[in-house]
Amino acid sequence: MSKEEKASKVESLSDRRFQQMADENRELKGYVAEVMQRLRQNERLFSRMFDLESQVLKSTDPEDLCFTLLRGLRSNFELDFVRFWLDRSSFIGGHKLDALSERDLVWVENDEIRQMGISRKQAWLMQLSPEHEFDWLDSQDRHLGSIALLTLGDLDNPFGVLGVGSIDRDRFAPDQSSDFLQHLAQVVGLTLEHAAAREHLARLSVTDTLTGSQNRRFLQPHSHQPLSQWFGSETEVACIYADVDRFKSLNERLGDDAGDRVLGMVSKAMRQYVRSNDPLIRMGGDEFVLLLPGCSQEKACDIAARAVNCVAESELLEDEKVTVSIGVAYSPAGKDPAVKQLVAKADQAMYVAKALGGNRVEIAESEQGDSDGS
């Protein structure tokens, strides 16, 4: 082989080697660019997740937490589906979640999560099709291509499932990494448990354990507020103040157990004629305050009379008649006294009822210029 041929061959080999290196360099640059893009995507993802976690941790109760989480997941993570399935028999079943729609929340029965097999791991990724459906989804969810199911709580005793879905079949394909979703499941589960525990403790602190009504501590933060700050402007408010007649004598003669039964019966008698969210407060001893926003004086007097009759007709204690005295005070729309002022007026009317023999209703005198509400 001549020198010229050898030189040409070396040059050709060199060119091919340079070309190979250039191709490898382009592939490496493409790989690095792809990795950097994924890193930036993950960085944005975790940044959004951190922001959502911060909002969730600020939630004051389970309802607020669930609502914040649903809204945040939908708006920040481009999801086509977000839903809670919560076990009605678990601790979460005793908490108010009325702000969540039926599309946001579905209650499942005791042990249903375990029976579905979801509790075997923290996160499940599923691709959906007519041949491969998930039983908990509705007909309106058939557009989904994939879904992730996040088990909430201890896997041995889960209290719920959070489902997130997409129309993209590859978004939650089984071969995708689930580390991020497992982290989300743990955060949501723990924060929901803590929020429920905080709400339970807060509820206990303002609840009378004997009767289930609120206690005086519940009223204290509102006491100096005008009625409008608690119940809204231009809202008429009635107040019923009840006291068991001769309760001290009854308690001394029949004992504390009989006295406790009487208090429970009186609380039930006052509660049965009003809305569940109307504040009923045991002021201490045998005194109760019932606040009725949006209630006329005439209606409040009717409720009070029903409560008086209900207590008087009860046969709770053998050979012992139990009665109550009730005072009613009313603040028409447009007037805005402090809560404690309305309660004090009802209290005074109650003492008038007692002075007149008890087992009756008396109405507080209206201030000059007040409507009588009838």
Side-chain angles (χ1 to χ4, degrees), residues 298-312:
E298 181 181 9
K299 180 64 175 176
C301 290
D302 179 63
I303 292 170
R306 286 170 177 260
V308 167
N309 292 335
C310 180
V311 172

Side-chain angles (χ1 to χ4, degrees), residues 92-118:
I92 200 69
H95 293 267
K96 178 184 175 184
L97 298 174
D98 296 343
L100 306 185
S101 70
E102 293 181 358
R103 184 155 178 77
D104 295 331
L105 167 63
V106 175
W107 291 103
V108 297
E109 300 306 320
N110 182 29
D111 212 34
E112 199 171 343
I113 297 172
R114 202 188 321 273
Q115 290 172 5
M116 288 289 289
I118 301 174

